[in-house]
Amino acid sequence: MKQNIIEYCLKKKGAVPTHPFGPESLVIKVEGKMFALIFENIDSQPVINLKCDPVIAANLREQYDNVRPGYHMNKKHWNSITLDGSVPEQDIFLMIGHSYDLVVKKLPKSLRESIAESS
């Protein structure tokens, strides 16, 4: 599941993998802005942090036990999702798309247009 999630993130236009916190965590950015952080928790379970609208974030946390406030992130705007199969992969893909869209929407117009024109 983790590899599918990484591949899905990297298919987003302008997505770039980085390792600013060391090799154990993967930060995926668009135009220098993070939209996904993938790491392993203390139990060696893969976790993904994703940006999320606060109202949607609260709903997702109520719906899934393994969707929690973002670990080491702004708890209002980020969720941490444990990738143990309890949250369907398709739902995680939707969450990734939402995170990506939120980040791209905040970029300057010239950068948004540049991303839209790329492959």
Side-chain angles (χ1 to χ4, degrees), residues 9-23:
C9 288
L10 294 175
K11 287 181 184 175
K12 295 291 186 186
K13 286 184 178 184
V16 177
T18 66
H19 295 276
F21 308 120

Side-chain angles (χ1 to χ4, degrees), residues 4 50 78 105:
N4 288 348
L50 297 168
W78 288 83
K105 188 167 97 174

Side-chain angles (χ1 to χ4, degrees), residues 3-38:
Q3 192 57 40
N4 288 348
I5 299 295
I6 292 170
E7 289 172 9
Y8 184 83
C9 288
L10 294 175
K11 287 181 184 175
K12 295 291 186 186
K13 286 184 178 184
V16 177
T18 66
H19 295 276
F21 308 120
E24 65 282 346
S25 59
L26 172 64
V27 176
I28 303 174
K29 298 180 177 184
V30 58
E31 293 297 333
K33 301 291 183 181
M34 175 171 56
F35 71 91
L37 165 63
I38 301 168

Side-chain angles (χ1 to χ4, degrees), residues 6 21-23 30-31 36 49 51 57 63 68 85-86 95 97 104 115:
I6 292 170
F21 308 120
V30 58
E31 293 297 333
N49 283 357
K51 192 170 184 95
Q63 186 176 354
R68 297 184 177 91
S86 63
M95 292 179 214
V104 169
I115 292 168

Side-chain angles (χ1 to χ4, degrees), residues 89-102:
E89 193 171 68
Q90 288 302 316
D91 289 355
I92 295 171
F93 289 163
L94 291 172
M95 292 179 214
I96 291 166
H98 178 66
S99 179
Y100 175 86
D101 291 345
L102 286 173

Side-chain angles (χ1 to χ4, degrees), residues 69-88:
Y71 180 72
H72 283 298
M73 308 294 276
N74 179 312
K75 308 290 186 221
K76 182 177 178 183
H77 295 278
W78 288 83
N79 278 337
S80 291
I81 302 102
T82 304
L83 303 177
D84 63 356
S86 63
V87 178

